[in-house]
Amino acid sequence: MQQRTPLIAGNWKMHKTVDQARETARQLAALAADADGVEAMIAPPFTALAPVAEVLGQGPVRLGAQNLFHEDEGAFTGEVSAPMLVSAGCRYVIIGHSERRQYFGETDRTVNLKIAAALRAGLRPIFCIGESETEREAQKTFSVLDKQVRKGLEGLSLAQLTPLVMAYEPVWAIGTGKAASPQQAQEVHAFVRSLLAEMYDTALAQSVRILYGGSVKPANVRELMALADVDGALVGGASLDAGTFSQLINYRK
Ligand code: 13P
């Protein structure tokens, strides 16, 4: 059975000035120093990436970004590329978050281009998928996720996908305090893993980490992390405070 190192990732969304980000990162680096085989990552807003990279240094917490543009450079006002994120100290990048799809017009196609750009630059993409409440109620969860995964990974080869991380974030669970039940999460994660096995092979499917996101808190992290196909968490609100987020990182203790 494949060993997948758990990843607890914090998505700070549009929160924290440079000073606030530095301070939280400083506290977190100290609190996460001895995380018992768990990998930790934070994704501050673009403006705080380089300053937070300095604070984190070679310590236990890794740095990620929340988005990128798929071209490497050029006349694309307001955008940030994968090589720029690498140069700012990022190892990870969140791609296709439902807020990007909902408010910023991202589609399966743009998500596909962004995943390819991240991989080209040596970044690990955290590829987000998830169904809305209406889609779940209409029994469309699996068909929606099937399409998001197939289109998001279109044209990408098995050899390219070794660094891939997936995140299942049901839209109805984000910021609502209503996390998916362990049964709902495990069922979807197992489905995604079998889909990867069908599209690529079993070895890739067994090695890709699939994170759960949506109202993960200290009170529910253990039951989620105990599930066979849940390999980590993508955390919004509970990642903003170093004390709370370190409880998630240290869930094994
Ligand atoms: P919450 O943890 O605030 O529900 O947000 C989840 C999320 O969107 C992480 O990307």
Side-chain angles (χ1 to χ4, degrees), residues 9-13 94 97-99 128 167 169-170 173-178 212-217 233-239:
N11 173 10
W12 286 0
K13 307 192 179 183
I94 299 168
H97 192 280
S98 64
E99 288 152 16
C128 302
E169 297 206 309
I174 296 177
T176 58
K178 193 176 103 184
Y212 166 79
S215 298
V216 177
K217 310 278 178 219
L234 184 53
V235 185
S239 73

Side-chain angles (χ1 to χ4, degrees), residues 3 20 27 29-30 37 39 41-42 44 47 51 68 71 81 84 147 169 172 200 202 204 215-216 218 228 230 245 247:
Q3 278 296 346
Q20 290 167 341
Q27 293 170 359
E39 194 180 355
M41 185 279 266
I42 48 174
T47 44
L68 53 66
E71 296 285 351
S81 73
M84 291 171 185
K147 175 167 168 285
E169 297 206 309
W172 46 270
Y200 294 96
T202 316
L204 182 85
S215 298
V216 177
V230 172
F245 191 50
Q247 289 182 49

Side-chain angles (χ1 to χ4, degrees), residues 201-225:
D201 68 10
T202 316
L204 182 85
Q206 284 301 321
S207 67
V208 167
R209 289 176 292 180
I210 309 176
L211 316 184
Y212 166 79
S215 298
V216 177
K217 310 278 178 219
N220 61 14
V221 67
R222 280 182 196 82
E223 64 177 4
L224 289 162
M225 291 305 297

Side-chain angles (χ1 to χ4, degrees), residues 80-210:
V80 175
S81 73
M84 291 171 185
L85 297 180
V86 171
S87 76
C90 293
R91 298 210 200 171
Y92 286 92
V93 59
I94 299 168
I95 292 178
H97 192 280
S98 64
E99 288 152 16
R100 303 271 343 147
R101 295 177 190 253
Q102 198 178 340
Y103 305 131
F104 303 100
E106 293 205 10
T107 63
D108 292 331
R109 176 67 187 143
T110 60
V111 167
N112 177 245
L113 291 169
K114 289 177 182 214
I115 294 171
L119 292 168
R120 249 190 346 262
L123 284 168
R124 290 176 170 269
I126 301 181
F127 168 25
C128 302
I129 56 170
E131 82 287 1
S132 68
E133 184 152 42
T134 319
E135 289 162 343
R136 178 162 280 269
E137 280 167 1
Q139 322 283 334
K140 289 187 182 153
T141 300
F142 295 103
S143 62
V144 166
L145 298 174
D146 184 278
K147 175 167 168 285
Q148 288 176 345
V149 174
R150 287 181 194 277
K151 297 231 175 247
L153 298 179
E154 207 163 75
L156 296 168
S157 71
L158 176 62
Q160 284 173 288
L161 287 181
T162 316
L164 179 73
V165 178
M166 302 276 316
Y168 169 54
E169 297 206 309
V171 178
W172 46 270
I174 296 177
T176 58
K178 193 176 103 184
S181 69
Q183 292 79 354
Q184 287 170 322
Q186 171 55 29
E187 182 182 47
V188 167
H189 283 230
F191 169 78
V192 172
R193 205 176 298 287
S194 66
L195 182 57
L196 291 172
E198 183 201 317
M199 291 169 64
Y200 294 96
D201 68 10
T202 316
L204 182 85
Q206 284 301 321
S207 67
V208 167
R209 289 176 292 180
I210 309 176

